């Protein structure tokens, strides 16, 4: 079972992308390899995005997170981080799941799993040139849209990400460290990473995905003209992989989705997956994605 399909209206076109543009190659994502010693504690209080009374819910959620953090500290368990927008959860390290039993306010304990990069689509296969004709040409494709790429980072010096004609929107750029600010430009308006290192791509997959999503038209190898689907869109970079690898922890993915929603991305792309499983409705990633929609 996949998350809901949400239609996106872009200048008169309707692109039906999985979960409002969160393009997930998750055909078998959640029987994936489990990361030993890492867990996601889903708390009972709903996040603010689903709340009827945000102020009251925010106060209750904060008290619940504080109580759970205090109990984790008492048990000498490390809380790596928390998320509070698309889900209410603590990201915790523990030797085993038994050490997490009885923590107040915990609805479910989810093991952290590894996802893997997956990309097998191309412009012609999706009939993108025909779509461009319907909106007056490729120069209108993605105009004003913000596409968040949760992946292995990006190479900001790539020819596909240079467009001086674009104007950076108010409130941007956004970045997780001062060094990541240098990776932003007129087109790349967000640069975040989740391991205290650079958001630059050391693996290559994120750059390729970002190029397909929103790369500026330019001459590639053998002088072939290359372009992304939405060349006039802005890009938000969320490097969520482990080091220079192509593997991703689901707790880091949660943080990246949370940030992308807060940053106001119109579309979020995750070309990730893992072998062997059916995606369930109560999987925390599924719940978070549906809330992001």
């Amino acid at each position: 079972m996949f998350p809901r399909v949400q239609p996106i209206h872009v200048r008169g076109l309707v692109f039906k992308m999985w979960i409002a543009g969160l393009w997930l190659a998750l055909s078998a994502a959640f029987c994936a390899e489990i990361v030993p010693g890492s867990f996601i504690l889903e708390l009972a209080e709903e996040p603010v995005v689903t709340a009827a009374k945000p102020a009251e819910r925010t106060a209750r959620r904060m008290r619940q997170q504080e109580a759970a953090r205090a109990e984790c500290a008492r048990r000498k368990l490390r809380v790596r981080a928390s998320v509070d927008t698309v889900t209410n959860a603590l990201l915790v390290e523990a030797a085993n799941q038994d050490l997490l039993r009885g923590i107040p306010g915990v609805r479910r304990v989810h093991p952290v799993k590894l996802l893997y990069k997956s990309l097998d689509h191309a412009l012609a296969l999706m009939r993108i040139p025909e779509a461009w004709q319907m909106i007056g040409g490729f120069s209108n494709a993605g105009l004003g849209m913000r596409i968040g790429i949760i992946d292995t980072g990006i190479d900001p010096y790539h020819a596909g990400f240079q467009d001086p004609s674009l104007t950076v929107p108010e409130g941007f750029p956004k970045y997780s460290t001062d060094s990541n600010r240098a990776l932003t430009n007129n087109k790349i308006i967000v640069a975040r990473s989740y391991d205290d290192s650079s958001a630059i791509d050391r693996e290559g997959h994120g750059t390729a995905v970002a190029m397909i999503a929103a790369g500026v038209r330019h001459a590639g190898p053998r002088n072939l003209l290359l372009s992304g689907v939405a060349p006039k869109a802005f890009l938000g970079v969320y490097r969520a992989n482990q080091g220079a690898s192509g593997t991703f922890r689901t707790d880091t993915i949660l943080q990246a989705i949370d940030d992308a929603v807060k940053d106001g991305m119109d579309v979020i792309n995750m070309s990730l997956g893992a072998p062997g499983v059916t995606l369930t409705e109560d999987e925390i990633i599924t719940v978070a994605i549906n809330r992001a929609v």
Side-chain angles (χ1 to χ4, degrees):
M1 183 177 294
F2 285 90
R4 293 192 297 269
V5 175
Q6 179 79 5
I8 302 177
H9 299 267
V10 183
R11 299 179 69 87
L13 288 178
V14 178
F15 293 98
K16 290 186 177 178
M17 293 184 177
W18 292 113
I19 45 172
L22 287 118
W23 193 331
L24 297 167
L26 287 172
S27 56
F30 292 100
C31 238
E33 182 182 350
I34 290 175
V35 179
S38 294
F39 299 91
I40 301 164
L41 303 188
E42 181 186 2
L43 302 179
E45 184 64 41
E46 294 291 328
V48 174
V49 72
T50 61
K53 298 180 179 179
E56 293 179 19
R57 288 291 180 91
T58 298
R60 288 204 298 269
R61 176 179 48 75
M62 290 179 64
R63 287 195 297 269
Q64 193 173 74
Q65 284 206 5
E66 288 168 2
R69 279 179 177 274
E71 181 60 20
C72 287
R74 190 186 70 80
R75 300 184 186 196
K76 295 182 169 51
L77 305 176
R78 179 177 175 240
V79 177
R80 291 183 52 249
S82 63
V83 292
D84 57 22
T85 302
V86 293
T87 192
N88 181 19
L90 298 182
L91 315 182
V92 176
E93 293 181 356
N96 58 69
Q97 193 161 330
D98 290 340
L99 297 175
L100 304 173
R101 297 187 189 281
I103 294 178
V106 174
R107 174 182 289 165
R108 288 189 201 87
V109 177
H110 303 264
V112 172
K113 302 169 186 176
L114 289 179
L115 305 182
Y116 297 85
K117 62 192 177 189
S118 178
L119 178 66
D120 59 359
H121 294 73
L123 299 187
L125 186 63
M126 297 182 65
R127 302 180 64 190
I128 296 302
E130 291 91 331
W132 286 341
Q133 291 178 15
M134 295 172 65
I135 59 171
F138 78 95
S139 61
N140 291 326
L143 192 63
M145 298 290 286
R146 302 168 186 173
I147 302 176
I149 306 292
I150 299 177
D151 213 291
T152 63
I154 198 168
D155 175 3
Y157 310 108
H158 191 288
F161 310 132
Q162 316 303 319
D163 189 347
S165 73
L166 295 175
T167 300
V168 177
E170 185 175 353
F172 292 88
K174 297 179 184 291
Y175 40 89
S176 56
T177 64
D178 288 339
S179 60
N180 279 337
R181 180 173 188 171
L183 305 181
T184 64
N185 57 28
N186 290 50
K187 186 171 183 67
I188 301 170
I189 59 173
V190 177
R192 297 190 186 277
S193 53
Y194 297 91
D195 58 1
D196 298 321
S197 64
S198 173
I200 203 162
D201 189 1
R202 290 181 286 159
E203 201 274 346
H205 189 263
T207 297
V209 170
M211 177 62 214
I212 289 173
V216 175
R217 180 175 282 191
H218 68 282
R222 293 175 291 173
N223 290 319
L224 293 175
L225 210 55
L226 305 179
S227 174
V229 172
K232 282 298 180 181
F234 296 105
L235 285 166
V237 178
Y238 302 84
R239 192 185 69 72
N241 60 318
Q242 297 187 97
S245 74
T247 57
F248 302 79
R249 295 164 54 117
T250 49
D251 52 355
T252 307
I253 291 294
L254 271 182
Q255 290 178 273
I257 296 173
D258 213 57
D259 282 338
V261 170
K262 290 176 181 176
D263 289 345
M265 295 295 108
D266 298 299
V267 175
I268 301 173
N269 183 92
M270 300 194 297
S271 295
L272 314 169
V277 85
T278 299
L279 187 63
T280 60
E281 283 294 329
D282 64 349
E283 172 67 46
I284 193 164
I285 290 288
T286 308
V287 174
I289 286 168
N290 283 332
R291 285 181 178 140
V293 171

